[in-house]
Every structure is written in structure tokens, then in C-alpha cells.
Amino acid sequence: MGIKITPSILNADLADLAGEVARIPSADAVHLDVMDNRFVPNLTFGLPLIENLRAHTSMMMDIHLMIADVDRWAPGFAAAGCESVTFHIEASDAPVKLARELRALGSRAAMALRPATAIEPYEDLLGELDMVLLMTVEPGFGGQSFLDLCLPKIRRTRALLDKLGKELWLQVDGGISADTIERCVAAGADTFVAGSAVFGADDPDAVVQALREQALRVDSAV
Ligand code: DX5
Ligand code: ZN
């Protein structure tokens, strides 16, 4: 599997986003958490900030929309030049239409699931997607503890993706660190969001590199 590390800037210095992105040159993408205090009990930033950041970085922008009315708002992020846009399935009324719209605008389309949302009802949707994001904490805040109960779902999702035979990324988000990344790789994840583990460190890029090496070691062993 191609291992990808996509750090979240949620717990970074939000007043200097461009500067923070420049501190993680080894990352495969920067993961940006958009929250509206409706879908989750927290409020972060929206499209205007993302549009501004776009002008400051050429790094792949991986947008994680934790917002209600996502069918209405998500296409704007693709139109702003974000390479990947993730919507929560729990917030979308027309996910097939939305995924097609995102792809037509040139973005990758991704579907996110809360920890208690099963993947099986969405099996037929997978062919419309470029990535599945499995939350490994309840969405809303950085710095929470990884939920081990998500591991069987990671394994079942990997099996569905293998059956489909298309190149979809399987991303995990929440509580990912040196302590938890190995069990996620072993379960079949290949794309890792890490927020506090990366930006809580003095040298964020060294953590990105170390997480990648750790994941690759496990990946080549399984
Ligand atoms: C939480 C966000 C995450 C968060 C991860 O709802 O989706 O991307 O920033 O932070 P850590 O790695 O600290 O759990
Ligand atoms: Zn996220």
C-alpha cells in the first residue's frame, strides 16, 4: 500500500497557517478541518480562509468537512482548487450527486464516517469515491484518545475496497500517533491524519517522517 501522512493543522497556530504548512514539507497533504458548530460542537474556519491558504501553498489540500448542509457547501472547496474534499455521509442528502460534482470540478471525492456509522450500507457507493475516511474519535476536537473499537471497521472497509479492486485511499483520523499507527496499518489503513502528534512536537516534520517509516515497516511485514 502507498502510505500517506496528512497532518491536521487543527492544533497548530491558526494565525499563521501558511507558516505551519511550511513546517511539514514531508507531508503528502495538509488536512484541514472545517467545522460549523452544527454537525459537530465546534467552530473552526470556512471557505474564505481555505481560498486564501490556497494562494500560499502548492501542497495537496485535503479538506475534511464536518458541516451540515454539506451538499450545498462542498463543491465550493473543489472549485477553490482543493485536491481532495471529504464530506460526512451522515450530513449528505445526495452523496452520489455530490461525489460526481466534486470529481467534475477536478477534486478527489471522499466520504467520512463517524465511529458508530457502519460502512456496509455504503458499499455500492464506493465506486464513486477516491477515499474513505474512518473517524477513530468522535469528530470535533483534536487531542482525543484513539478508539480501538474502530479497528474491525477498518478491516471490513479494507476488505470491501480490495473486493472492488479500485485504487481508493483508506484514511483514519483521530488519535493517530506512534502508539496507534501500527494497529491501523495492520488493519488496512494507508492514509493517516495526525494533528496533536505532529504539531505538538518541536519538529513537526521529523514526526511526519517517523510516522511514515513506522507505517512502512508494518506495511511491509503484513
Ligand atoms: C477531529 C479532526 C481531526 C483532528 C485530529 O474531529 O477531524 O483531524 O485534528 O487531531 P488528533 O490527531 O490530535 O486526534
Ligand atoms: Zn479531520
Side-chain angles (χ1 to χ4, degrees):
M1 288 188 296
I3 298 291
K4 289 152 298 276
I5 309 291
T6 57
S8 158
I9 49 68
L10 190 57
N11 285 1
D13 179 1
L14 295 180
D16 181 19
L17 262 191
E20 294 289 61
V21 174
R23 291 174 76 204
I24 48 165
S26 304
D28 295 283
V30 56
H31 179 89
L32 296 150
D33 292 299
V34 176
M35 305 187 192
D36 66 349
N37 193 36
R38 289 177 65 201
F39 184 72
V40 288
N42 196 7
L43 191 60
T44 56
F45 43 78
L47 183 56
L49 181 135
I50 300 287
E51 285 172 333
N52 278 280
L53 182 62
R54 178 72 289 174
H56 288 273
T57 181
S58 56
M59 186 175 283
M60 176 177 180
M61 290 169 74
D62 167 30
I63 310 298
H64 179 190
L65 298 173
M66 285 162 276
I67 59 174
D69 286 335
V70 71
D71 305 75
R72 172 180 170 191
W73 296 106
F77 291 83
C82 299
E83 290 87 347
S84 180
V85 177
T86 301
F87 58 87
H88 268 267
I89 193 67
E90 303 91 346
S92 175
D93 292 326
V96 175
K97 178 169 176 276
L98 178 55
R100 289 183 180 179
E101 230 176 309
L102 293 172
R103 283 175 151 184
L105 287 163
S107 168
R108 295 169 62 87
M111 167 181 80
L113 274 63
R114 288 176 177 274
T117 304
I119 184 70
E120 284 75 12
Y122 306 108
E123 179 178 355
D124 293 343
L125 219 72
L126 297 176
E128 301 286 336
L129 301 168
D130 299 291
M131 181 170 82
V132 174
L133 188 177
L134 298 180
M135 288 304 302
T136 44
V137 300
E138 286 296 346
F141 299 91
Q144 303 181 73
S145 297
F146 180 84
L147 295 171
D148 273 294
L149 63 84
C150 297
L151 288 168
K153 184 165 62 177
I154 300 173
R155 280 193 285 272
R156 294 197 307 271
T157 305
R158 169 52 59 196
L160 291 177
L161 297 182
D162 287 349
K163 192 168 98 183
L164 188 69
K166 286 195 183 161
E167 240 287 320
L168 264 81
W169 298 358
L170 177 47
Q171 187 178 50
V172 286
D173 181 5
I176 303 299
S177 68
D179 291 335
T180 56
I181 195 167
E182 295 190 5
R183 48 195 117 135
C184 294
V185 179
D190 58 16
T191 305
F192 302 90
V193 179
S196 45
V198 168
F199 281 101
D202 291 337
D203 184 349
D205 204 55
V207 177
V208 173
Q209 292 176 30
L211 286 172
R212 186 195 310 286
E213 280 157 27
Q214 196 180 356
L216 283 169
R217 273 198 301 277
V218 178
D219 189 35
S220 56
V222 289

